[in-house]
Amino acid sequence: MVDTNRAEELKAFDETKAGVKGLVDSGIVHIPKIFITPDITENEFNAQNLDVNVQIPIINLEDINKGDFLRRKIVEEVGDACKAWGFFQVVNHGVPQHVMDEMISGVRRFNEQSNEIKMRFYSRDNLKKVKFNSNFDLYSSKAANWRDTLACVMAPNPPTNDELPEACREELLQYSEHVKKLGHTIFELLAEALGLKPNHLLDMDCAKGHFILCHYYPPCPEPNKTLGITKHTDPDFFTILLQDQIGGLQIYHQNQWIDIHPVTGALVINLGDLMQLLSNDKFTSAEHRVLPKQIGPRISVACFFTTQFQPFDRLYGPIKELLSDENPALYKETTVRDYVSYYKSNGLGNSPSLLNLRL
């Protein structure tokens, strides 16, 4: 049965084109009902670390091109992290600190400019390369999340200058170029960690596209009643995440939520469902979420390596070189677009979309 009140509230919120920040600017002290996450207990909101020292691995890439021995050590660390966690942080990764700082500042500037300018980018048209909105799944999710997002498809065909918002145009173009280079390096390391040649994943066109989501999480007056992002895995090969120092990102690991503390100068790498599929479960795509905060805004910039916006018909399944009689394929093949389409229809917070491809 459709909740007509809820449908009307969602439509009214969407039509303001001001996002969650618009609600905060209006001075609300209680969050609207559409954001209240049902069936969530107080315990759900606390990271129950068995050990406060439990942290995702931090991998130093400084010695990556300083000989086979040092590179093999990094490849081993990456492989261990991908098997055990599906998440790791990288430092000395080649993206200059000033480029990362300027990217965060640009996202802040975009969100904090006048609504009149921001509204021009507000859209739910999936064919647009650049769009601003709040909650891509606003009308299908059980509860709306406390965030606004600027989405930009950056490769292989970046938007024109006119399509990108002036408030963060140069920052997006600059950051995108740097993160694309890092992405190629990560693809090489992942291939080597699987025992393949460095260019194996690149030759499979995995690095042919990327898009960037710039998330803005305004301070929340009732952070124990909603989420910044519902628990989910990413439907891509992997994601490179730049986050500010506010915190709130958590990974679900060994039946507990663990905080991923911001590390100055680091970028977070998390494997997506398509990498778990290619590796035939050797690597894992881990569930993660973002908790809202009373302080803020929290700003993060996620770069997704995926070809979902390209008309590619290439089928992806478990890599043949990894299979044997003892290790048969666990998944059916899929195109990237078909997988992402199913993922979106399945919605965040529901059963893992990869199960749909399980043999």
Side-chain angles (χ1 to χ4, degrees):
M1 187 177 134
V2 176
D3 182 340
T4 51
N5 277 355
R6 178 175 171 75
E8 285 168 11
E9 285 171 36
L10 290 169
K11 191 166 182 284
F13 167 69
D14 202 21
E15 286 177 351
T16 66
K17 298 185 178 182
V20 173
K21 184 175 182 295
L23 296 174
V24 173
D25 290 346
S26 72
I28 60 160
V29 290
H30 297 292
I31 67 171
K33 195 176 168 188
I34 57 170
F35 291 92
I36 295 175
T37 304
D39 312 322
I40 201 156
T41 65
E42 193 65 36
N43 279 345
E44 267 278 319
F45 286 93
N46 297 318
Q48 299 294 320
N49 289 352
L50 296 176
D51 177 350
V52 291
N53 296 317
V54 172
Q55 260 301 292
I56 65 168
I58 298 173
I59 299 174
N60 187 346
L61 301 184
E62 189 174 18
D63 296 334
I64 197 166
N65 295 314
K66 293 183 181 173
D68 286 351
F69 176 76
L70 292 173
R71 186 179 177 93
R72 272 201 306 273
K73 185 174 177 293
I74 292 170
V75 167
E76 199 175 300
E77 287 180 44
V78 167
D80 289 347
C82 292
K83 289 169 194 166
W85 294 86
F87 262 78
F88 55 97
Q89 301 206 56
V90 290
V91 293
N92 294 313
H93 42 63
V95 183
Q97 186 65 49
H98 74 90
V99 170
M100 296 191 289
D101 293 343
E102 286 162 16
M103 187 68 249
I104 294 284
S105 298
V107 176
R108 180 189 281 268
R109 201 161 44 245
F110 172 81
N111 283 277
E112 295 178 1
Q113 67 188 331
S114 74
N115 272 343
E116 189 188 349
I117 299 172
K118 217 165 43 172
M119 279 177 188
R120 293 178 203 157
F121 295 92
Y122 199 93
S123 174
R124 296 199 177 275
D125 178 356
N126 286 329
L127 296 177
K128 284 198 167 186
K129 277 190 181 174
V130 178
K131 62 177 181 285
F132 166 67
N133 62 41
S134 186
N135 290 258
F136 76 90
D137 57 350
L138 183 69
Y139 293 99
S140 58
S141 62
K142 291 174 188 164
N145 288 164
W146 199 257
R147 75 176 186 282
D148 299 328
T149 304
L150 173 67
C152 307
V153 180
M154 298 303 290
N157 306 307
T160 63
N161 275 3
D162 289 344
E163 288 175 292
L164 288 167
E166 191 179 345
C168 54
R169 179 185 299 147
E170 295 307 318
E171 291 80 3
L172 269 165
L173 290 169
Q174 178 178 237
Y175 182 72
S176 177
E177 275 308 303
H178 281 284
V179 90
K180 180 182 176 181
K181 283 182 198 160
L182 175 59
H184 277 236
T185 299
I186 300 296
F187 273 118
E188 289 178 350
L189 292 172
L190 292 173
E192 290 175 68
L194 287 168
L196 304 166
K197 289 180 178 166
N199 61 348
H200 195 105
L201 295 170
L202 297 173
D203 289 346
M204 291 174 69
D205 294 336
C206 297
K208 279 282 168 72
H210 69 264
F211 73 95
I212 291 177
L213 295 185
C214 305
H215 293 312
Y216 182 95
Y217 303 85
C220 181
E222 295 181 293
N224 61 335
K225 289 187 177 176
T226 188
L227 289 164
I229 295 186
T230 303
K231 71 170 182 176
H232 66 287
T233 58
D234 290 350
D236 60 352
F237 295 108
F238 64 83
T239 306
I240 298 179
L241 180 81
L242 165 65
Q243 59 172 340
D244 65 12
Q245 296 300 306
I246 297 275
L249 176 62
Q250 295 184 327
I251 174 178
Y252 197 63
H253 180 71
Q254 294 180 351
N255 301 315
Q256 59 178 334
W257 286 106
I258 292 172
D259 290 316
I260 297 182
H261 297 293
V263 173
T264 304
L267 290 164
V268 177
I269 314 290
N270 69 277
L271 301 191
D273 295 346
L274 295 174
M275 191 57 68
Q276 180 168 332
L277 171 105
L278 290 178
S279 74
N280 207 41
D281 278 1
K282 196 169 182 183
F283 291 169
T284 185
S285 170
E287 283 189 322
H288 50 287
R289 67 180 185 181
V290 174
L291 300 188
K293 301 263 186 179
Q294 276 185 307
I295 55 170
R298 175 185 186 262
I299 294 169
S300 70
V301 181
C303 181
F304 294 78
F305 284 84
T306 174
T307 54
Q308 71 188 67
F309 296 106
Q310 281 80 54
F312 291 171
D313 292 323
R314 183 172 191 136
L315 287 171
Y316 288 95
I319 293 171
K320 303 285 188 285
E321 287 82 349
L322 304 179
L323 304 179
S324 64
D325 290 342
E326 298 78 42
N327 184 31
L330 300 173
Y331 299 101
K332 293 179 278 192
E333 292 184 324
T334 182
T335 65
V336 174
R337 271 187 307 173
D338 285 349
Y339 183 70
V340 172
S341 176
Y342 176 77
Y343 176 97
K344 285 185 172 176
S345 69
N346 188 33
L348 299 186
N350 295 315
S351 64
S353 294
L354 257 187
L355 290 179
N356 187 51
L357 293 174
R358 193 89 184 182
L359 289 169

